[in-house]
Amino acid sequence: MKIGIIIFSTFNLMILSCKSHKSVEQDEIIQTKPFSKVNYYKYTYRNNEPYIESNIKIDSFKPIIYTNVKPLDTNKAIPQKIYSLSKNSWKSSKEYFYNDLQGLSVVYLEKNNKILFRNFYRSYTGKDFYKSDINKPRNKEDLIKYFENKKAEFKILSVNKSEKADVINVDINGDFYKIIVDSTFCKSYLYYNKRDTINKFFLITDDAFWEGF
């Protein structure tokens, strides 16, 4: 189950370029280290995307993303299709995601040289699915234990349900997060400015990893 993952138009979200870097330290649900561009692969979208500043003011920008997901061997301008639903077409991408990345992806979204959004995703599928792990929360209670283990200052703002998943809005060390957890995955959205929650940045960052891109 992927909450909030929606396939968008290939035409509107074409990536142009990438720079080959790789994160040397595994990312976590909450950001625990400063962002550095040199640790990630860079991809640039072809078309401008809307940026909502308020209910009456809408701007546009050309998104740039930085991610731990390497490019395709056949096209260095496009990342591996780690979210592919096809068992055959992108088999190597799926194997790369689960074997090399250990089922973990992270994406930073940049607008005009400023990072606006961080999207963390971790799948629990695999041989250790039933193994308890403080870093793999499966519900609100597990997530709180994770925060406490990280000695994070946090305040739960709201808790909702989406099918079987817990959807938690939380202030962590002064930053606004929306975190989605269930028995099979964890998704963490970090908005560096709370007012940007009006923008659905996760649609941009998720789309790059689908086979329809």
Side-chain angles (χ1 to χ4, degrees):
M1 182 173 79
K2 303 288 191 301
I3 302 295
I5 297 177
I6 299 176
I7 301 177
F8 259 58
S9 164
T10 302
F11 178 78
N12 289 330
L13 293 176
M14 182 65 70
I15 285 176
L16 290 180
S17 64
C18 99
K19 187 179 294 184
S20 296
H21 296 295
K22 186 174 182 178
S23 182
V24 295
E25 181 180 341
Q26 191 175 65
D27 290 275
E28 300 191 40
I29 298 169
I30 61 177
Q31 187 173 353
T32 57
K33 60 180 181 178
F35 170 72
S36 176
K37 295 180 180 181
V38 299
N39 291 333
Y40 300 93
Y41 300 95
K42 177 183 177 181
Y43 303 93
T44 304
Y45 283 71
R46 173 183 295 169
N47 298 318
N48 286 355
E49 292 297 316
Y51 174 70
I52 304 173
E53 295 187 48
S54 69
N55 291 329
I56 58 175
K57 185 177 182 180
I58 300 178
D59 195 2
S60 65
F61 72 111
K62 187 182 292 294
I64 294 176
I65 66 172
Y66 297 90
T67 176
N68 65 326
V69 180
K70 72 178 184 179
L72 292 171
D73 294 335
T74 55
N75 188 341
K76 299 301 183 182
I78 297 176
Q80 295 282 331
K81 306 292 109 179
I82 60 173
Y83 290 167
S84 171
L85 298 179
S86 172
K87 294 182 179 179
N88 298 313
S89 299
W90 302 105
K91 182 179 179 181
S92 61
S93 288
K94 301 293 284 187
E95 290 176 345
Y96 161 72
F97 178 57
Y98 287 106
N99 296 332
D100 292 32
L101 299 184
Q102 300 176 42
L104 186 156
S105 67
V106 65
V107 185
Y108 291 85
L109 178 68
E110 182 183 84
K111 173 182 181 285
N112 299 333
N113 296 313
K114 183 178 181 180
I115 300 297
L116 301 181
F117 178 72
R118 177 183 186 263
N119 182 340
F120 170 96
Y121 172 70
R122 187 168 193 174
S123 170
Y124 300 155
T125 302
K127 60 182 178 63
D128 294 329
F129 177 77
Y130 294 102
K131 184 178 179 181
S132 178
D133 187 335
I134 191 70
N135 295 306
K136 295 181 179 180
R138 299 170 189 258
N139 52 47
K140 181 190 70 175
E141 290 72 25
D142 285 352
L143 190 60
I144 290 174
K145 291 177 183 177
Y146 168 82
F147 293 154
E148 292 172 342
N149 180 259
K150 296 298 178 183
K151 295 181 172 55
E153 295 184 10
F154 68 95
K155 180 181 179 181
I156 303 293
L157 304 175
S158 66
V159 180
N160 297 292
K161 279 283 187 181
S162 178
E163 299 183 28
K164 296 180 179 180
D166 286 342
V167 182
I168 300 99
N169 289 334
V170 55
D171 183 289
I172 304 174
N173 300 326
D175 293 321
F176 179 81
Y177 285 79
K178 179 185 288 292
I179 301 178
I180 305 163
V181 288
D182 84 348
S183 62
T184 61
F185 75 95
C186 173
K187 242 185 185 306
S188 173
Y189 303 143
L190 165 57
Y191 293 84
Y192 291 93
N193 191 321
K194 189 175 180 180
R195 72 181 183 184
D196 280 334
T197 55
I198 195 172
N199 291 279
K200 296 182 178 180
F201 292 143
F202 62 86
L203 299 180
I204 299 174
T205 54
D206 282 343
D207 185 76
F209 304 129
W210 282 94
E211 67 267 27
F213 179 81

